[in-house]
Structures are given as C-alpha cells and as structure tokens.
Amino acid sequence: MKSKILVVDDEPKIVEVVRSYLEAEGYAVIEAFNGRDALSLFEREYPALVILDLMLPDIPGEEVCQRLRRTSRVPIIMLTAKAEEEYVVAGFDLGADDYVTKPFSPRQLMARVEALLRRTTAEAIPLSKLLSYNEGDLVIDCDRHEVRKTGQLVALTPIEYKLLLTFAKYPRKVFTRDELVTLVLGADYEGFDRTIDAHVKNLRQKIESDTKDPKYILTVHGIGYQFGGE
Amino acid sequence: MKSKILVVDDEPKIVEVVRSYLEAEGYAVIEAFNGRDALSLFEREYPALVILDLMLPDIPGEEVCQRLRRTSRVPIIMLTAKAEEEYVVAGFDLGADDYVTKPFSPRQLMARVEALLRRTTAEAIPLSKLLSYNEGDLVIDCDRHEVRKTGQLVALTPIEYKLLLTFAKYPRKVFTRDELVTLVLGADYEGFDRTIDAHVKNLRQKIESDTKDPKYILTVHGIGYQFGGE
DNA sequence: CTTTTTGATGAAGATTTTATGAAGATAAAA
DNA sequence: TTTTATCTTCATAAAATCTTCATCAAAAAG
C-alpha cells in the first residue's frame, strides 16, 4: 500500500489534476480547499506528504506550513504561483522541503514527490533495473535476469545469479560465508559454508576478466567476500 | 562547524560562485571539475551534500549520481542546463533529491541546500558505523571492514583489524599483552604473548605517520599497549 | 654511567586460509 | 527413465598470514 498524500489548493481544477496524477502512481489522495480543513484533515489522517498552495481563502498557506511544522516533520511541497525569489526563499525558511511554481509540470511534481518520500521513508535505495559497472563492462538486467560481460551474454546458474545480486545490492559490504549461505542458499541450509567458495569460483570465471586479479568479487581474507564494482 | 559540501561542475566559474555563496553561509566546500575526481573525493571526504552538474568531461553526471547512490544516501542536488522535463524526471529517478536548472538563483540554491540538510540531519541515519580519529586522519568503517589512513585504504590482516578494533573500542585503556592475546587471538591461544608485539609492529607500519613516534598505538612500558586516538 | 630489563624490528619457517579441478550427488528437463 | 544441468564435497595446490626467534635499540634500575 502506497502513502497517503494531502493536497491543499483553493482551485478545484488544480487539485483534480494533481489527484489524478498521484492516483495513477498509486497514492491515496485526500484534499482540502482551505487552510482550516487542511489542518484538521492533517490531524485526523496523518498523511505522509503535503502539497500546499500558498493562496488560500482563509488562513495563508505560509501559516498553515508553520503550524504543521510545530507538531510534525511531514514533507511539505509548496505549489504556488508566487515565483519571486523572495517568496521561494521565505517558503523554505518556513520549513518547506520543496517549492514548485505554477504553471507546473505534473510529471515533474510526481518526481519530486517520489524523491521526497524516498528520502523520508528511509527505505533502502531501490536498485535500478539496469546495473552497469565499469562503463558497461558488466551489466546486470534485473528484469530480464540477464548478465552481460563486455556485451556478451553470460549464462549464470540460479545460485550464481542470486549470489551476484546479493553482492551488488550491498557494494563494498563484507559478507561472511555464513551470511552468504543464509542469503543465497537459504536460512535452512544444512551443508557447509565452503560451498560458497565453489560458487564464487564459478561466478568469477564468468564475469571476471582475470580470475587471478578479480575486480568484482574480492576476497577478504579471514572473513569472506565483498563486491567491489565501481 | 557546519557541513562539508562537494560541488561538481566543469565550469570553474560556476563552482566559484557556488563556493562563495556556500562559504558565506558557513559551509566547508570541496570541489571537483570532473566525475572521476568527484567520486574519489567523495570516498575520501564523506561530504554531507553534493551539488552535481550533469555535463562533465569524463563520466556523465548521471552515472556519477548512480554510483554515489550505490553506496550512499548523501543528498544530491543536480544543477544543470538540461531543463527539459524528461531530464528532470530522469534525474530524480537516478536518485537525486533536487534538480535546479541553469541559469539559477544562488539564493534559491542556498535555500534548497538548507532545506535538504535540515531534512537529512533530522533523520540522522548513519549509513555505516564510522570511527574517525584526528579529523579523518584515521577512519575505521566497520561495515566495510575498511581502514583509511589520510584517505588511503590500507589493507589490514584479520588479526591486525581485530587488534585495531579492540584498541579503538576502549581508547586510553591500557591493555596487558595477556589481555590482548585473549581478546584478539582467542582465549584458547597457546602461543606466547610477544606475538602481540609483532602484530603491533605491523599495524603501526600501516596506520602511523611516524612509527618512531606513534600517535595511535602507544607503548606502556612494562605493561603493554594503549590506544591514544581522540 | 653501567647494567639490566623491556620493546622494536626483519626475516624464515609453520600454519591457516583460499583457489581450483574433478567426482559424486541431486534436481530438473526431455 | 534417461539425459542434462546444477550443486556439493573433497583433495590438493597456491597464497596469505601468523608465530617465533635473533638482533638491535630504548628505557628503567642500580
């Protein structure tokens, strides 16, 4: 389930546009057309993010922002026609996280919403579908389950692929053999941990240019292995 | 002391302008004029925020962003002439936190820097456990099992690493050789305690600027050793 | 100031850990 | 069932690391 977002604007048309875009992205949208409703709705619904117009019929948007900030660190994007530099700076000073001026690009607004939520929900940074290392020397295509070495498709076994992805997900992290066993072979694996060595060997033969001097899967002597791709 | 900010742009003039504004706000500024320098500087200095141009002479800014995101959640503001919607959206998709188009308003940029830092320092999620001594002269990264001396990665053997961590865990505490043997070589160690001396020697050669006058691993004559980092 | 004790250092052999190829075991596909 | 691909284990070779020792330098004691 995706996050709930509060959209506050006195122009119903704007709210409608923003709502449709947000819902297309899977967000739940709640709306307010004035400052008073915005504040009470915020109290009741705890949205994950607020998109706030500055020109509201009752309370000025600036004050709404300030009041929200008294009790909450909710991400706030100001969406307004006031484009002058002093307003922008003032908006940030009031505690806004972003400031978008009308007329605005809905797609760009969506991108900003996602960026802000990504930052605040503190989720792990999602891996992009296409991971590329050393200017395309090694490419992992997560969607297609494909790995290419200097453009050539290499056939990885299921375990090799999983091992590579585990490494790629946490570059530079040092994994002990036990960790790798748990992550790649499963928590209930009974066998012994040196099996990982064999898989590392096979994987290296497929993706390293020189197995004697590996660039991707590095040995951490006495501990385990580490992914060192750039 | 305010945060350290990395500014990356191939136009020295832009870097100069941004630097002057940032310094006026009290930030420490480090600069890079190409992607390669940006990445190595980032690794070395761990800045609190990155301002990144997209058009760089060597590696495209997009790739720099992606690479940073593989290992770090550092806030990234893209500062670029590419104003088209698709570029903006793509920039956010790569993991940028904000996107500012040239020509830009320095004051507005400052406001965005502050907003982002306000947001991220509030989270204060340490990415990896870093122990730093003498203003970054010696840095221990526990997750990555990495030790850096003046930014340079030093390769420690398992025992050296464990020894260093044992010291670092209790700065100023004086350890007898027997204690170190038990903690580092194991309670069931049979050998003799002067082995520790050899490991201390090797460790000193890797992390001390002057082994004749050690700053970190100090000898306590007649007793043992002590870690003297700040 | 000399003697005695303790620490520092370089090098060699011993030990531990990792790499690798191959064989048997297991699982999946035909 | 047969065939094929994959996984696990094992034995051995190779590499990295650890321990010890002999020697020299430094500190404490007499």
Side-chain angles (χ1 to χ4, degrees):
Chain A
M1 173 57 187
K2 274 212 163 183
S3 316
K4 198 187 296 176
I5 296 179
L6 171 60
V7 181
V8 189
D9 202 307
D10 64 329
E11 297 169 69
K13 210 175 151 190
I14 299 270
V15 174
E16 207 34 60
V17 171
V18 175
R19 166 194 274 281
S20 70
Y21 272 88
L22 284 172
E23 286 181 342
E25 297 284 332
Y27 295 106
V29 177
I30 51 180
E31 35 192 52
F33 302 95
N34 61 63
R36 212 166 293 284
D37 288 354
L39 288 169
S40 71
L41 211 53
F42 179 82
E43 287 286 302
R44 260 186 292 142
E45 299 274 352
Y46 278 106
L49 187 146
V50 178
I51 297 176
L52 180 66
D53 182 21
L54 289 187
M55 279 174 284
L56 299 176
D58 50 353
I59 313 171
E62 289 87 345
E63 192 179 328
V64 174
C65 178
Q66 241 174 342
R67 286 214 208 166
L68 288 175
R69 275 287 171 270
R70 279 188 208 142
T71 57
S72 165
R73 289 212 309 227
V74 65
I76 299 175
I77 299 179
M78 287 185 173
L79 177 65
T80 166
K82 298 180 177 176
E84 293 79 15
E85 182 176 89
E86 62 220 76
Y87 283 109
V88 179
V89 174
F92 281 110
D93 275 348
L94 289 171
D97 289 280
D98 206 341
Y99 195 103
V100 178
T101 52
K102 298 179 189 173
F104 66 101
S105 141
R107 279 187 62 211
Q108 197 180 126
L109 180 63
M110 290 308 112
R112 288 181 182 274
V113 166
E114 303 232 326
L116 205 42
L117 284 176
R118 176 171 64 208
R119 166 79 42 208
T120 51
T121 53
E123 281 165 25
I125 296 161
L127 289 179
S128 65
K129 314 272 180 188
L130 209 61
L131 302 167
S132 174
Y133 302 90
N134 283 320
E135 2 247 297
D137 173 69
L138 179 70
V139 178
I140 307 174
D141 187 329
C142 298
D143 289 338
R144 299 186 182 179
H145 249 250
E146 274 180 7
V147 174
R148 283 168 190 279
K149 170 70 178 178
T150 59
Q152 288 287 308
L153 199 63
V154 293
L156 297 188
T157 69
I159 286 185
E160 283 157 16
Y161 183 77
K162 199 166 179 188
L163 183 61
L164 179 60
L165 233 62
T166 302
F167 277 128
K169 212 179 282 182
Y170 302 96
R172 309 271 212 141
K173 169 173 166 52
V174 177
F175 292 92
T176 63
R177 288 191 177 70
D178 277 343
E179 287 179 296
L180 290 172
V181 164
T182 305
L183 291 169
V184 177
L185 304 179
D188 53 345
Y189 180 79
E190 304 270 297
F192 96 141
D193 61 353
R194 288 289 160 166
T195 298
I196 290 295
D197 296 32
H199 290 298
V200 164
K201 180 200 61 176
N202 296 330
L203 188 50
R204 275 176 174 162
Q205 279 173 348
K206 294 178 181 177
I207 66 168
E208 296 285 2
S209 303
D210 177 8
T211 52
K212 295 290 178 192
D213 177 26
K215 291 279 177 288
Y216 295 110
I217 298 173
L218 312 177
T219 301
V220 183
H221 204 280
I223 314 284
Y225 298 96
Q226 175 191 36
F227 188 73
E230 304 257 321
Chain B
M1 173 63 184
K2 274 212 164 185
S3 316
K4 199 188 294 176
I5 295 180
L6 171 60
V7 181
V8 189
D9 203 306
D10 64 329
E11 297 169 70
K13 212 176 150 190
I14 299 269
V15 175
E16 209 32 64
V17 170
V18 175
R19 167 194 273 281
S20 69
Y21 272 87
L22 284 172
E23 286 181 342
E25 299 283 335
Y27 295 106
V29 177
I30 51 181
E31 33 190 59
F33 302 96
N34 60 63
R36 215 164 285 284
D37 288 354
L39 288 168
S40 70
L41 211 53
F42 179 82
E43 278 294 302
R44 189 173 156 163
E45 298 276 351
Y46 290 109
L49 186 146
V50 178
I51 297 177
L52 181 65
D53 183 21
L54 290 187
M55 279 173 281
L56 299 175
D58 50 353
I59 311 172
E62 289 87 346
E63 190 178 331
V64 174
C65 178
Q66 224 177 355
R67 287 206 202 174
L68 290 175
R69 274 289 172 267
R70 290 204 191 117
T71 56
S72 167
R73 286 172 53 94
V74 64
I76 299 174
I77 299 180
M78 286 185 172
L79 177 64
T80 168
K82 297 180 179 177
E84 293 79 16
E85 182 178 89
E86 64 219 76
Y87 283 110
V88 178
V89 173
F92 281 110
D93 275 349
L94 288 171
D97 289 279
D98 206 341
Y99 195 103
V100 177
T101 52
K102 298 178 189 174
F104 66 99
S105 142
R107 279 186 62 212
Q108 198 181 125
L109 180 63
M110 290 309 112
R112 288 181 181 273
V113 166
E114 303 233 325
L116 205 41
L117 284 176
R118 185 202 307 148
R119 166 70 53 197
T120 51
T121 53
E123 298 175 46
I125 303 164
L127 181 60
S128 55
K129 279 172 267 176
L130 288 185
L131 301 170
S132 178
Y133 302 92
N134 281 322
E135 290 145 56
D137 174 70
L138 180 70
V139 177
I140 308 174
D141 185 328
C142 299
D143 290 340
R144 297 181 177 181
H145 255 257
E146 272 181 9
V147 175
R148 284 165 189 277
K149 170 70 180 178
T150 58
Q152 286 288 306
L153 202 63
V154 294
L156 298 189
T157 69
I159 287 187
E160 283 157 16
Y161 182 79
K162 201 167 177 189
L163 183 61
L164 178 59
L165 236 60
T166 302
F167 277 128
K169 215 179 281 180
Y170 303 98
R172 308 273 184 169
K173 166 171 166 53
V174 178
F175 291 93
T176 64
R177 288 189 178 70
D178 277 343
E179 286 180 296
L180 290 172
V181 164
T182 305
L183 291 169
V184 177
L185 305 178
D188 53 345
Y189 180 79
E190 304 271 296
F192 92 142
D193 62 351
R194 287 291 160 162
T195 298
I196 289 293
D197 296 32
H199 290 299
V200 165
K201 178 201 62 178
N202 296 330
L203 188 50
R204 276 176 174 162
Q205 279 175 349
K206 293 178 182 177
I207 66 167
E208 297 286 2
S209 303
D210 177 8
T211 51
K212 295 291 177 193
D213 177 26
K215 292 277 177 289
Y216 294 110
I217 298 174
L218 313 177
T219 301
V220 183
H221 202 100
I223 316 282
Y225 297 97
Q226 173 193 36
F227 187 73
E230 301 283 315

